[in-house]
Amino acid sequence: MISENKTEDGFFLLGFFEYPDLQVLLFLIFLLIYLLCLLENIFLIVIIYLELNLHTPMYFFLCNLSFLDICLTTLIIPKFLLTFLGLRSISFLQCLTQLHLYIALHCLDYCLLTVMSYDRYVAICNPLHYSLVLNMKICVLLAGGSWFLSIIDPLPVTIELSHFPFCSYRIIDHFFCDLMPLLKVSCGNVFKVMSIIFSQGAILGLISFIFIVSSYSYIILVIMKMKTALARRKAFSTCSSHLTVITMLYLSLVIVYVIPTSDDPSNSKKAVALLNTVLIPILNPMLYSLRNKNVKFAIQKHFLQEQH
């Protein structure tokens, strides 16, 4: 149970307080970025829904990924925008909920990208059984299982933090309730929370990484055995967008947990958080539309239909 005094006290998000003269400009920039992210991902989901040729497992999982990006940006950016207007307070319950959902959505990101790597493995290494192995029932189970696992994964951390003592000042040097900035304003022993989050993250991240590397190792072997360069290029083109997204995700993970921070660690963490919560959700639909011939063809087809 969350104590009443914690819920009433809440926290104070500093946001990008370092730039007092740019608050209005930054508000407008991030508002436009948020709207662009929503439009891109909604547009991609609608195109996939309207184009029957895109009703395949790959694009079904891509719709889930776009919906994830919509949820992630909506979870973070609206509250972030309020900090530019001087509305920086957030209740304990809101903060804990935001943290739980943020961790859950990141877990879902790893799960979906892992499932999508399996989809590419089956499509390239076992194409004759593709529709049988990944039928709609299996796809729904894989996606549903990913969502369910991701929602319950942060529960141990959330429950532990709900009983955690926090200092009186409760000023979070961040633009949302991320785990590490939140623990900095705690007055208790953070070892248990850190042990839980790192063990869970390591298990999920390691399993996901091993599965993705294994899938693409088999994919590369199969592609290299193809007789013509055109066939190899065509097969690899179906994986390029997915590989780019995976690279960005794991690169951000390395920046956060492996590469030492600069002289201003809070700004470094904010920059990496912007990569995860703003840049990647905007780039995902661009990568999957601009680098995918099927999606580009569907967009052109429906655009021409609208003109006529």
Side-chain angles (χ1 to χ4, degrees):
M1 291 293 291
I2 299 172
S3 63
E4 186 178 346
N5 64 326
K6 282 183 179 179
T7 306
E8 289 177 353
D9 291 341
F11 299 95
F12 193 80
L13 297 172
L14 291 181
F16 283 93
F17 73 101
E18 304 96 330
Y19 311 102
D21 298 330
L22 299 176
Q23 295 297 293
V24 175
L25 179 60
L26 289 173
F27 172 85
L28 294 175
I29 290 173
F30 283 108
L31 176 61
L32 290 175
I33 289 173
Y34 175 55
L35 294 176
L36 177 63
C37 182
L38 291 182
L39 288 174
E40 282 182 348
N41 284 285
I42 292 172
F43 180 74
L44 186 58
I45 292 172
V46 171
I47 285 295
I48 292 173
Y49 175 77
L50 293 175
E51 181 57 49
L52 294 179
N53 291 331
L54 300 181
H55 290 189
T56 63
M58 174 183 174
Y59 297 104
F60 171 75
F61 295 126
L62 181 55
C63 283
N64 277 266
L65 188 63
S66 287
F67 185 66
L68 182 159
D69 288 336
I70 291 171
C71 293
L72 181 61
T73 52
T74 302
L75 174 69
I76 302 298
I77 297 184
K79 186 63 182 176
F80 175 35
L81 291 174
L82 291 178
T83 64
F84 294 114
L85 303 178
L87 303 174
R88 303 176 187 273
S89 62
I90 183 171
S91 72
F92 184 82
L93 180 59
Q94 289 174 331
C95 188
L96 203 61
T97 302
Q98 189 181 59
L99 175 63
H100 179 93
L101 293 177
Y102 176 73
I103 297 173
L105 291 172
H106 263 294
C107 292
L108 179 60
D109 210 355
Y110 286 103
C111 290
L112 286 178
L113 290 175
T114 304
V115 171
M116 290 171 76
S117 70
Y118 177 66
D119 166 79
R120 291 300 82 205
Y121 162 77
V122 177
I124 294 174
C125 300
N126 196 9
L128 297 178
H129 296 90
Y130 181 63
S131 58
L132 180 65
V133 175
L134 282 173
N135 56 53
M136 184 50 64
K137 182 179 179 181
I138 297 297
C139 290
V140 171
L141 286 173
L142 287 172
S146 297
W147 280 90
F148 178 75
L149 175 65
S150 301
I151 291 297
I152 65 171
D153 183 76
L155 279 176
V157 173
T158 306
I159 293 170
E160 185 67 26
L161 285 175
S162 67
H163 302 285
F164 221 64
F166 288 92
C167 304
S168 57
Y169 56 89
R170 300 191 180 191
I171 298 175
I172 299 177
D173 189 7
H174 213 305
F175 58 88
F176 71 99
C177 287
D178 201 358
L179 179 65
M180 300 308 292
L182 188 61
L183 290 179
K184 283 185 179 180
V185 299
S186 67
C187 295
N189 186 357
V190 301
F191 178 77
K192 185 175 181 180
V193 177
M194 295 295 293
S195 300
I196 294 172
I197 195 68
F198 277 109
S199 60
Q200 287 184 321
I203 291 171
L204 179 64
L206 187 60
I207 291 175
S208 173
F209 182 76
I210 291 173
F211 199 96
I212 290 171
V213 170
S214 300
S215 297
Y216 273 101
S217 297
Y218 282 107
I219 288 171
I220 291 170
L221 288 175
V222 171
I223 290 176
M224 294 303 293
K225 291 179 181 178
M226 292 180 177
K227 295 181 180 179
T228 65
L230 179 63
R232 290 194 293 269
R233 188 162 55 249
K234 184 178 179 181
F236 187 76
S237 67
T238 65
C239 306
S240 59
S241 300
H242 183 238
L243 279 172
T244 305
V245 173
I246 289 172
T247 302
M248 289 192 300
L249 184 65
Y250 275 96
L251 181 61
S252 67
L253 185 69
V254 170
I255 293 172
V256 172
Y257 296 109
V258 178
I259 298 177
T261 57
S262 64
D263 294 334
D264 192 351
S266 63
N267 278 347
S268 299
K269 298 300 183 185
K270 289 179 188 178
V272 175
L274 282 176
L275 172 68
N276 287 326
T277 59
V278 178
L279 185 60
I280 290 179
I282 285 180
L283 290 178
N284 280 350
M286 289 183 181
L287 290 169
Y288 280 105
S289 58
L290 296 178
R291 302 185 66 177
N292 188 297
K293 292 182 179 179
N294 293 331
V295 175
K296 284 194 289 187
F297 176 77
I299 293 172
Q300 292 170 357
K301 174 183 173 182
H302 288 281
F303 180 71
L304 292 173
Q305 286 178 350
E306 288 294 327
Q307 286 185 327
H308 291 87

